[in-house]
Amino acid sequence: MNAKKDITSPFAQLPDLLKQILLHDENTDVNIAIKSENKLSDEQGAVMMGIIRKIILKTIGPTQLLATIQKDVTIDEPRAKKLALDLLGRRFLPM
């Protein structure tokens, strides 16, 4: 199955422009950089990706991001704040 098709299916109801932004190849590089810079394990990186999906699909709001990162990624507050700022500024701001 096509990887881009897998990515778009949960986002089918999103506006076309937002889907184009989400599918842009640069997002993969940004995700990898954020994971690396925040010294996340592969498991924590996968959890981070789940949190990104939750924000995009509005399962959680931006105000819940910090608490969700602390709980789901299981990192301390200073690291969670840095990760939240990285996600907000580098992943969500372009949207």
Side-chain angles (χ1 to χ4, degrees), residues 40-64:
L40 300 178
S41 68
D42 288 341
E43 183 179 319
Q44 289 171 317
V47 171
M48 179 190 79
M49 293 304 297
I51 292 170
I52 290 170
R53 281 188 289 279
K54 288 178 183 180
I55 290 283
I56 292 168
L57 296 172
K58 299 181 181 178
T59 305
I60 63 168
T63 59
Q64 299 165 298

Side-chain angles (χ1 to χ4, degrees), residues 10-29:
F11 305 125
Q13 303 301 320
L14 297 175
D16 287 337
L17 180 58
L18 185 54
K19 285 190 260 188
Q20 289 175 13
I21 292 168
L22 292 173
L23 292 173
H24 195 277
D25 291 336
E26 185 178 308
N27 287 327
T28 300
D29 296 336

Side-chain angles (χ1 to χ4, degrees), residues 7-8 29 32 40 48 51 53 61 66 69-70 78 87-88:
I7 291 171
T8 58
D29 296 336
I32 291 168
L40 300 178
M48 179 190 79
I51 292 170
R53 281 188 289 279
L66 180 58
I69 289 171
Q70 282 183 275
L87 290 175
L88 290 169

